[in-house]
Amino acid sequence: MKINNLLWISALLLMLAGCSSDDGDDNNVSSQECRYSYQNIFPSDEDKVVITQDSWTITTYANMITRAEFNSNPPSSAELFFKDKMPLSVDNVLKFSHSLKNALTNYKHFDQLYKGIQVNRCGYVCNYDENDVLKSIEGAFVPIDDLDVNPTISKEQAKYIIVKYLHLNDSEIPIQLQITPFYTNGIIDVRLTYVYGNCVGCFAYYECFVDAHSGEILSSDFPSN
């Protein structure tokens, strides 16, 4: 989870020194290689564990509950299940986001927050039947021990890095500050990130992740220009 801050800050200062010019420093940004492939944002099937507990079936990846199916005797509420099964704390919380109930679906959505910052792709969708009985929970929760949520680089600096890396024409791109977990061989590397996402074509959605402390391009699945 922790990195050599002096190393990355030094590299960042060298990289950002050319922000106001169009010299060769731009090429240094554009030629960065991503630390993680897009597949590293999700745990692999090798980390899958299925546990039967009483009348429940719980599937986990890398020690995170990703699906819980309640065949009988379901918990009286999702909140009670979270309290019993999740390593919640003052900093690690699940916060109700929104719900939807109609003839086709009935669910509640909870986001994971760490120190008030949303954790990318973490949180749970809780599915209910027509009688509001809890049937299943799907999602992920990453317990975070220690992460500095105060970014070292600004949004404008992150935008510059992304624009140069992706060779974009528009510098006014929307980015969000989020916490993103990356997975490698069962190890979870949690980073504070600036995230840029955009649709390309009708159905494809791509994302680029920049470390909010070092300015490193961590992952991007945008097509090469």
Side-chain angles (χ1 to χ4, degrees):
M1 185 184 299
K2 295 182 178 180
I3 60 174
N4 189 326
N5 290 327
L6 292 177
L7 176 63
W8 283 116
I9 290 175
S10 298
L12 175 64
L13 291 175
L14 290 173
M15 177 169 42
L16 295 180
C19 284
S20 60
S21 66
D22 292 324
D23 56 19
D25 287 335
D26 288 350
N27 294 328
N28 293 334
V29 175
S30 302
S31 62
Q32 286 190 72
E33 292 186 2
C34 294
R35 178 179 293 267
Y36 297 105
S37 69
Y38 194 71
Q39 286 72 27
N40 287 113
I41 300 177
F42 303 98
S44 66
D45 285 340
E46 295 177 357
D47 298 322
K48 181 178 179 180
V49 178
V50 179
I51 302 172
T52 300
Q53 179 176 334
D54 299 327
S55 57
W56 306 347
T57 300
I58 298 176
T59 303
T60 67
Y61 288 88
N63 298 319
M64 300 176 300
I65 292 179
T66 53
R67 182 171 177 83
E69 299 176 86
F70 308 111
N71 303 315
S72 61
N73 299 320
S76 58
S77 71
E79 288 84 353
L80 285 177
F81 179 80
F82 296 150
K83 183 178 180 180
D84 291 340
K85 301 296 179 182
M86 302 292 168
L88 301 177
S89 66
V90 174
D91 293 331
N92 292 281
V93 302
L94 285 168
K95 182 179 180 181
F96 173 77
S97 172
H98 62 275
S99 63
L100 177 64
K101 182 178 181 180
N102 55 35
L104 299 177
T105 188
N106 183 8
Y107 71 83
K108 292 181 180 180
H109 190 279
F110 293 81
D111 291 328
Q112 180 184 349
L113 304 179
Y114 175 74
K115 294 184 178 181
I117 306 294
Q118 186 168 2
V119 183
N120 197 322
R121 291 184 177 81
C122 290
Y124 288 95
V125 175
C126 304
N127 301 298
Y128 299 81
D129 66 13
E130 64 277 6
N131 298 315
D132 295 328
V133 176
L134 187 61
K135 300 299 293 181
S136 66
I137 293 175
E138 298 177 83
F141 184 90
V142 177
I144 303 171
D145 296 325
D146 183 23
L147 182 67
D148 184 358
V149 296
N150 298 303
T152 303
I153 67 174
S154 68
K155 271 192 174 184
E156 292 306 314
Q157 289 171 316
K159 286 180 181 180
Y160 172 83
I161 293 169
I162 294 171
V163 166
K164 292 300 180 183
Y165 179 78
L166 296 178
H167 305 288
L168 301 178
N169 295 323
D170 185 6
S171 62
E172 294 303 315
I173 58 173
I175 62 175
Q176 291 181 301
L177 182 67
Q178 295 182 336
I179 295 169
T180 303
F182 298 91
Y183 309 89
T184 303
N185 299 323
I187 298 174
I188 305 174
D189 183 18
V190 182
R191 302 292 189 100
L192 183 69
T193 58
Y194 286 108
V195 184
Y196 166 58
N198 195 17
C199 292
V200 178
C202 297
F203 302 104
Y205 184 77
Y206 299 98
E207 290 176 302
C208 183
F209 298 84
V210 174
D211 191 302
H213 291 303
S214 69
E216 178 188 10
I217 298 288
L218 295 172
S219 178
S220 175
D221 65 335
F222 278 87
S224 300
N225 290 333

